[in-house]
Amino acid sequence: MGKQQSSRAAVILAAGKSTRMKSHTSKVLHKVGGRAMMDWVTDLARSAGASPIVCVVGEANQDVRAHAERLGLTIAVQEPQLGTAHAVLAAKAALKDFQGNLAVLYADTPLIETRTLEDVFSALESGGDVCVLGFEPEEPAAYGRLIMDGEDLTAIIEAKEASPEELAVGFCNSGVMAASAADMFSALDQVGNNNIKGEYYLTDIIEILRGDGKKGVAVKAAAEDVLGVNSRADLAEAETAFQNRMRRRMMAQGVTLRDPASTYFSYDTVIEADADIGANVVFGPGVNIASDAVIHPFCHIEGSKIGKAAQIGPFARLRPGTEMGAGSKAGNFVETKKTKIGKNSKINHLSYIGDAVVGKDVNIGAGTITCNYDGYFKHVTTIEDGVFVGTNSSLVAPVTLGAGAFLGSGGVITDNVPADALALGRAKQVNKEGWAARYHAAQKKRKAKK
Ligand code: UD1
Ligand code: MG
């Protein structure tokens, strides 16, 4: 019976209308942990070694189709949408002569773990003919019920079709199902729509395959891993489940979270052990943080690489393309973008540093602004090793500050500064003795007359 080392393919169902999201964007393109649900599911299928991966879309979801094409998926169109069995059948032509094991995934169920899908495929490779991923939700409500006879899955009964005894079953269908392509399509050909919704139910294939002498089995997942998203409230629930998963993982890996509940991660956040993350920190996509780095409270960080023992915030905003060198600092109310900061360099207060390359041991004074945009193009500011930038400097790019240069405060620096030079880019101060006293006297006199 064993079907060792079968090749694997996946069908991702994404043809549904998603009306409950009340969005001009298709449901499966909404994001969880900074990544579209569609991408989560695609990544899941790929990580379990599925190829090809066919995405079933409806005529109405052109945005899903375009997105799936960008992801490199094979597209199948289901029009009209007559149910989940009908949807999988729509993928048949695209699977061509695929002979191995086929998993059906829903594009609106983003948080399934690779090892869980591995378990589903493994169940087929170790004797099951059709395997369903089940879970025990707090509220079984509208989910299909998994009817077990010992280890055997004998049927899935949709809630609408279920008897009171069947409704009392707490083990439910997550939607993930796998069988050999041959079994799957032979059973799908026999599915009818003589039911309350008048739809072709994928879930009917369990009883059909059992009738052909095949063995049904179930694998169990944690409820928060198989959350299906149908509404904005579900989306928020999935986001919370994802964040909680990341918080647990980060701490298990040795990252200190001062206030886990107010720390927000993206799907790809990477943080080394012994980094220390304060309260109210948001990590957008593409963040990588080295050990011993400290992120003080209230920071927003995306697309940034933070070196060993760097110190960020409080209240810093690091935008995409930021690289903070080891031991460097970006303090309160500092914004960076597309900027590389060298080892031990400091931007401690109130600055915008964008499109810049900053060497090591540089000190950037409070209120320094890189004037990187001329209204049409962005220009680069280069600050070489050991430069001291005085407070309130405007660095009008393109401009280079040579190694060891010293900028007086308040300069508008439009020309390159040679290495080791002093640059003063401000008007020379003029003092007029006694002027203020004369001014006040004159004005007071004028006011008294009125
Ligand atoms: C389905 C299952 C139910 C399970 C639940 C888990 C069936 C009959 N029922 O019910 O047992 O507990 O999911 O969430 O399968 N879709 C299409 N084309 C269609 C219909 C649906 O592509 O014609 C897609 C949807 O976009 C969605 C998925 O299939 O991604 C599930 O469809 P949905 O209508 O949400 O099924 P449920 O009634 O929730
Ligand atoms: Mg559903």
Side-chain angles (χ1 to χ4, degrees), residues 13 15-16 78 81-84 87 106 143-144 158 173 197 201 203:
L13 301 191
Q78 181 203 17
Q81 288 91 46
L82 302 179
T84 45
Y106 293 172
Y143 289 113
E158 289 304 290
N173 176 22
K197 284 168 100 177
Y201 292 160
T203 45

Side-chain angles (χ1 to χ4, degrees), residues 56 69 122 168 202 225-226 263 369 371 435 442:
V56 179
E69 278 169 356
S122 301
L202 173 62
D225 292 354
V226 292
T263 310
I369 307 291
C371 310
W435 183 93

Side-chain angles (χ1 to χ4, degrees), residues 183-198:
D183 284 349
M184 179 79 76
F185 287 112
S186 89
L188 284 172
D189 283 334
Q190 300 169 56
V191 171
N193 66 347
N194 184 15
N195 54 47
I196 288 170
K197 284 168 100 177

Side-chain angles (χ1 to χ4, degrees), residues 435-448:
W435 183 93
R438 290 196 300 276
Y439 168 79
H440 289 305
Q443 292 295 69
K444 275 178 188 159
K445 220 174 183 179
R446 207 173 285 165
K447 196 156 190 184

Side-chain angles (χ1 to χ4, degrees), residues 13 34 38 69 85 143 202 234 268 330 357 374 376 381 407 416 425:
L13 301 191
M38 182 82 224
E69 278 169 356
Y143 289 113
L202 173 62
D234 293 344
D268 60 349
V357 182
D374 60 15
Y376 295 90
T381 300
L407 272 61
N416 291 345

Side-chain angles (χ1 to χ4, degrees), residues 20 27 84 106 108-109 142-143 197 228-230:
R20 275 184 286 163
K27 172 170 76 176
T84 45
Y106 293 172
D108 65 359
T109 309
Y143 289 113
K197 284 168 100 177
V229 173
N230 296 304

Side-chain angles (χ1 to χ4, degrees), residues 89-439:
L89 271 174
K92 189 176 178 180
L95 283 161
K96 300 200 185 106
D97 46 9
F98 174 76
Q99 294 294 330
N101 289 332
L102 180 63
V104 177
L105 307 171
Y106 293 172
D108 65 359
T109 309
L111 298 180
I112 295 171
E113 307 254 27
T114 303
R115 61 179 147 75
T116 306
L117 184 55
E118 285 287 349
D119 288 346
V120 170
F121 276 119
S122 301
L124 300 183
E125 286 150 9
S126 58
D129 293 303
V130 57
C131 179
V132 171
L133 183 64
F135 70 114
E136 285 177 352
E138 251 174 55
E139 202 35 79
Y143 289 113
R145 305 300 202 270
L146 300 190
I147 310 301
M148 303 296 296
D149 179 5
E151 298 287 287
D152 286 6
L153 172 68
T154 61
I156 306 177
I157 309 293
E158 289 304 290
K160 284 210 164 109
E161 324 282 337
S163 67
E165 301 87 79
E166 287 162 343
L167 274 181
V169 171
F171 196 27
C172 292
N173 176 22
S174 69
V176 174
M177 192 182 289
S180 72
D183 284 349
M184 179 79 76
F185 287 112
S186 89
L188 284 172
D189 283 334
Q190 300 169 56
V191 171
N193 66 347
N194 184 15
N195 54 47
I196 288 170
K197 284 168 100 177
E199 283 188 3
Y200 295 86
Y201 292 160
L202 173 62
T203 45
D204 284 356
I205 73 167
I206 305 300
E207 280 176 282
I208 292 168
L209 287 172
R210 290 264 306 171
D212 294 343
K214 305 280 180 172
K215 183 178 168 69
V217 292
V219 162
K220 191 166 150 184
E224 68 267 24
D225 292 354
V226 292
L227 271 170
V229 173
N230 296 304
S231 63
R232 304 273 180 171
D234 293 344
L235 187 68
E237 209 179 309
E239 184 69 35
T240 301
F242 164 75
Q243 294 299 342
N244 286 333
R245 181 193 280 182
M246 287 298 275
R247 290 161 188 158
R248 282 193 303 270
R249 254 184 219 167
M250 288 294 173
M251 290 188 283
Q253 286 164 23
V255 177
T256 296
L257 302 184
R258 299 284 157 180
D259 181 27
S262 71
T263 310
Y264 295 87
F265 299 95
S266 286
Y267 69 98
D268 60 349
T269 310
V270 176
I271 307 183
E272 286 181 9
D274 283 320
D276 185 338
I277 316 296
N280 294 294
V281 170
V282 175
F283 297 110
V287 172
N288 193 304
I289 298 180
S291 67
D292 299 317
V294 180
I295 313 297
H296 296 286
F298 298 100
C299 290
H300 189 281
I301 302 177
E302 54 185 329
S304 297
K305 200 167 169 276
I306 296 173
K308 195 170 159 58
Q311 297 232 15
I312 310 299
F315 297 100
R317 177 170 183 217
L318 307 190
R319 291 168 52 204
T322 297
E323 275 184 45
M324 299 292 302
S328 65
K329 280 191 184 181
N332 45 279
F333 308 109
V334 167
E335 175 182 348
T336 60
K337 186 217 74 174
K338 217 171 169 190
T339 281
K340 209 171 159 174
I341 307 288
K343 231 172 138 180
N344 297 326
S345 289
K346 296 176 177 61
I347 320 166
N348 276 336
H349 339 262
L350 299 158
S351 289
Y352 170 59
I353 306 296
D355 300 295
V357 182
V358 178
K360 59 179 163 66
D361 301 316
V362 168
N363 189 87
I364 296 184
T368 297
I369 307 291
T370 50
C371 310
N372 58 327
Y373 186 48
D374 60 15
Y376 295 90
F377 301 102
K378 301 283 171 64
H379 303 281
V380 172
T381 300
T382 304
I383 305 179
E384 294 178 358
D385 295 349
V387 168
F388 182 93
V389 179
T391 56
N392 220 28
S393 295
S394 295
L395 309 176
V396 182
V399 70
T400 297
L401 315 181
F406 193 105
L407 272 61
S409 302
V412 177
I413 303 298
T414 54
D415 297 334
N416 291 345
V417 178
D420 297 317
L422 166 69
L424 298 170
R426 63 190 188 220
K428 197 166 166 55
Q429 186 172 330
V430 179
N431 291 339
K432 298 191 174 175
E433 294 287 341
W435 183 93
R438 290 196 300 276
Y439 168 79

